[in-house]
Amino acid sequence: TQLLGGQRRPRSFWTFEYYQAFFDVDTHQVLERIKGSVTPLPGKNFVRHRLRNNPDLYGPFWICATLVFALAVSGNLSHLTEKRVSPTYHYSPQFHNVTIAATLIYCYAWLVPLALWGFLRWRQSHGAGAYSFLETVCVYGYSLSAYVPTAVLWLIPAAWLQWLLLAVAALLSASVLALTFWPLVRADGRATALAVVAAVVSLHALLAVGC
């Protein structure tokens, strides 16, 4: 009766079915969202054109996990490459890199969207719009996909190339974030809008430098 009537009984917060909806995506959708997170196109809002009222946590979770291990592995290999010329050096895996990378990435992927979502909700009374919290987290999670291949390519021992790759990845993903949130804040006054977008881009660039 529920299926024929087009109605679904709301799921309880404590049930598995409640969280299952957050992972209801297929491979094609995830790949399209990853592609959209690194291709900033004017007039193409990531939330409206990619998520289409169906945000997920599958992509953000695995992108963050992949980035954590990419950073840890590339950090270990880079350290080995740098120190192996020393005859007194004995290699030992730096497992603490995994903990540091996981703390950095997951705190950024959850706390920054939470702060931005709370600010936009507060500014709604002043004319600003707001996405849902899940949509905000989804945008930030997918925006980190640009850093995954960059972390792998950082194994190339050339400082200028490492900084160039960092700048390209940060520019692409930060541009998508700016284009996504600009329509929400531009009605709240130009100064406030520019300050919010500048904060979003600066934190994203700061994460890249931290990586």
Side-chain angles (χ1 to χ4, degrees), residues 146-160:
Y147 293 144
V148 175
T150 305
V152 176
L153 293 175
W154 278 340
L155 289 172
I156 302 174
W160 66 271

Side-chain angles (χ1 to χ4, degrees), residues 62-64 66-68 70-71 144-153 169:
W62 285 111
I63 288 171
C64 290
T66 304
L67 180 58
V68 166
L71 288 172
L144 298 178
S145 61
Y147 293 144
V148 175
T150 305
V152 176
L153 293 175

Side-chain angles (χ1 to χ4, degrees), residues 103-150:
T103 302
L104 175 67
I105 298 302
Y106 279 101
C107 283
Y108 174 84
W110 283 95
L111 297 182
V112 174
L114 176 62
L116 180 60
W117 172 78
F119 175 79
L120 292 176
R121 294 283 294 181
W122 173 64
R123 296 297 294 180
Q124 271 188 314
S125 59
H126 295 77
Y131 300 131
S132 68
F133 175 63
L134 188 58
E135 288 173 333
T136 308
V137 171
C138 190
V139 172
Y140 267 86
Y142 277 102
S143 72
L144 298 178
S145 61
Y147 293 144
V148 175
T150 305

